Amino acid sequence: MSATFPPLAERLDGLQSSAIRDLLKLTSRADILSLAGGLPDAELMPRDRIAVAAAAALSDRSRLQYTESPGWGPLREVLATRESGRLGRTVPVDEVFVTHGSQQALSLLSEVLLDPGSLVVVEDPAYVGALQVFRAAGARIVAVPLDADGMRVDALRELLAAGERPAVVHTVSNFHNPGGVTLAPERRRELAELAQQYGFWIIEDDPYGELWFDRPSPDAVATYSPNVIRLSSASKILAPTLRAGWMVAPTPVCRAVELLKQGADLCGSALTQQITADLLADTDWLATHVDSVRKVYGERARALVSAVRDRFGDRVISTDAAGGMFVWVDFTDGTDTSALLPKALDAGVAYVPGNAFAVSTDYSHSMRLCFTTSEAAVLEDAVDRLARAHAAKA
Ligand code: PMP
C-alpha cells in the first residue's frame, strides 16, 4: 500500500529540482571529463592556512558559542573595510550583514523585498539559484537578455517604458554565471539611474568579481546608487565550506534580513566566520593567494576558449572568459545542445545545455562550459571529445 501524506504548501507547486544538479549525477562517471560542474578547484583552496586559522579560532571557547545574527563582529569589520575600498565610500559595519553563503542572502532578501506576484527582472540566461529563490517567493519573473556587455539595460528601459514596475532587478555583474560576460561600466551607471528614477531595488550578485584574469572588474553597480544591495562571498576566493557570504545594504534592509535570519538559523557559525575574518584580514597573504587562483584559472580559461575556437571555428561563438569560472558557447550551425548531450556523454565529455538556464529565450543552441577544475591538457582533450560527438551527430 502506498502511503498518502498530508499536502505540502502551495508555493511548492511548479518548483523543479535544478536541472544542473540532476545532470551532475549523470556526469560523475569516472570516464567522463566534465565541463558541466560549477565548482571552484579544491586543490587551490588554502587548506593549510585554513587549518592554522581554525586552530587559532578554537583556542577561544567562545567560538563554539552562538554568535550575533548579522555575523561575528570582527568579520563584519573586516568586510566593511574591504567593501569601503571596493565602493569608494565608508561602509559602516551596520550596513554589512554576514550570511550562510551569498545564496542565503538571496533567499532572505526574496522574503524581505517580495510579495507573491511582485515583479522580479532577471537576466536571460539566468543564475538558476536565484531563479529558484524568486520562484519559491511566488514572484512574477520577467527576463531581459544578456549580450557581450552584460544585461541589455536598453531592454529593461523598454519594459519600464511599457509600464512594468519591478520590485527587484537581479544582476550578476561580473563574469556572469552562466553567461561569462561582464556588465559594461556605462550600463552600470544607466541601471543605477533607472533604479533611482523608478524606485526599484537592484541585487548586485557578485561572487566572481575578484576572479579577473587581465584587468580588475569595473566599479560595482553599488557605487552609483543606494538602491543597490550588493552580495559577495568567500566561496570562490577561499572555500565554499566556510559558507561565508555577505551583503552590503541600507540599514532597514539589514534589520529586516536580521529578523528573518533569526527564524532561519538563529546565526551563522562563529568558527568559520573567525576563520574567514583571519584570512581576509591577512591582506598580503590574501593578495598572493587570490593572484595564484587568478593565474591558474586564467591559463585554463585561455586553453579552453582557444581549443573551442580552434576545433569549431565559425560554427560557434564563445565568450572570452576574462574572469570567473564559465564560458558560454553559442552554436551557429543549428546544433541542439540537449540532443548532442547523450552523444557527448558517449564520447566521454559533459557540459550543461543552455536551456537549463533559459527563462524566456530559447537557448537550445548554447552551452555552459566550466574551466576551473581541469588542467589545460584535460580541457583540450574534453573539447576534442566534444568535437568528435559533434561531427558524429551529422
Ligand atoms: N550567486 C551566483 C551568481 C553564483 O554563481 C553562486 C554560486 N554558484 C552564488 C550566488 C552562491 O554562492 P555561495 O552561496 O557559495 O556564496
Side-chain angles (χ1 to χ4, degrees), residues 21 38-40 99-106 126-130 170-178 205-208 231-236 239-241 243-246 325-326 368:
R21 288 203 187 284
L39 307 180
T99 51
H100 194 82
S102 48
Q103 189 65 34
Q104 188 187 38
L106 286 170
Y127 168 51
V128 288
H170 174 258
T171 180
V172 180
S173 47
N174 294 308
F175 317 121
H176 196 275
N177 175 13
D205 188 358
D206 184 22
Y208 303 108
L231 311 186
S232 194
S233 167
S235 292
K236 309 300 182 334
T241 195
R243 302 316 293 133
W246 56 91
M325 306 195 344
F326 304 105
R368 186 191 78 176

Side-chain angles (χ1 to χ4, degrees), residues 127-180:
Y127 168 51
V128 288
L131 273 184
Q132 276 185 320
V133 157
F134 298 142
R135 287 192 176 129
R140 184 165 71 90
I141 294 170
V142 171
V144 295
L146 291 176
D147 66 13
D149 285 330
M151 178 193 279
R152 288 261 316 274
V153 177
D154 62 315
L156 172 64
R157 189 185 284 284
E158 277 172 28
L159 283 177
L160 293 164
E164 293 283 24
R165 290 293 174 266
V168 168
V169 174
H170 174 258
T171 180
V172 180
S173 47
N174 294 308
F175 317 121
H176 196 275
N177 175 13

Side-chain angles (χ1 to χ4, degrees), residues 70 75-76 79-80 82-83 95-103 105 204 206 210 229-235 237-238 243-249 276 280:
L75 175 58
R76 293 171 75 202
L79 292 171
R82 284 171 60 84
E83 290 293 330
E95 294 181 12
V96 175
F97 196 104
V98 181
T99 51
H100 194 82
S102 48
Q103 189 65 34
E204 178 181 25
D206 184 22
E210 292 196 52
I229 298 169
R230 190 180 139 69
L231 311 186
S232 194
S233 167
S235 292
I237 53 168
L238 297 176
R243 302 316 293 133
W246 56 91
M247 170 178 95
V248 177
T276 308
L280 293 181

Side-chain angles (χ1 to χ4, degrees), residues 124-125 145-146 328 330 337 353-355 357-359 361-366:
D124 204 4
L146 291 176
W328 183 258
D330 293 313
T337 52
N355 63 13
F357 312 97
V359 186
T361 314
D362 176 15
Y363 287 109
S364 59
H365 305 305
S366 310

